[in-house]
Amino acid sequence: MTAAQQNLQRGFRIKALALFFLAFLFFAWGTGNTSLWDIDEPIYAQSLKDQIAADNLVVPTYNDRLMPDKPALNYWLMWSG
């Protein structure tokens, strides 16, 4: 390897590392500020359990009441997890 190739490789590594840390900073900033245990989240989880029990993954209900707050895709993603 020549000196020019080593300089290019070192420059690439520095830029890639800087990009990684910058992306990590943006994505990790404030991740602890929100809670998964808000008041509504257990209701959505129970709604999914009711849907699974009724074999109906299209219409979200909770206590026989329609739950139009979130789209069905959201429940499907919860179910897949």
Side-chain angles (χ1 to χ4, degrees):
M1 223 187 238
T2 65
Q5 288 175 336
Q6 287 178 347
N7 285 340
L8 283 175
Q9 190 175 18
R10 187 178 337 128
F12 174 75
R13 286 182 182 167
I14 290 172
K15 289 176 186 175
L17 194 60
L19 181 65
F20 171 77
F21 283 120
L22 186 65
F24 180 78
L25 176 72
F26 284 135
F27 284 113
W29 188 269
T31 54
N33 293 340
T34 60
S35 174
L36 290 175
W37 307 113
D38 290 335
I39 294 172
D40 294 336
E41 294 305 318
I43 294 172
Y44 297 131
Q46 184 62 41
S47 173
L48 178 64
K49 287 175 65 177
D50 291 346
Q51 285 179 315
I52 292 171
D55 288 330
N56 180 10
L57 292 177
V58 178
V59 181
T61 58
Y62 177 70
N63 287 341
D64 295 328
R65 186 180 53 132
L66 184 63
M67 297 282 295
D69 301 338
K70 291 188 178 184
L73 177 64
N74 206 9
Y75 291 101
W76 298 340
L77 293 173
M78 288 170 42
W79 178 63
S80 69

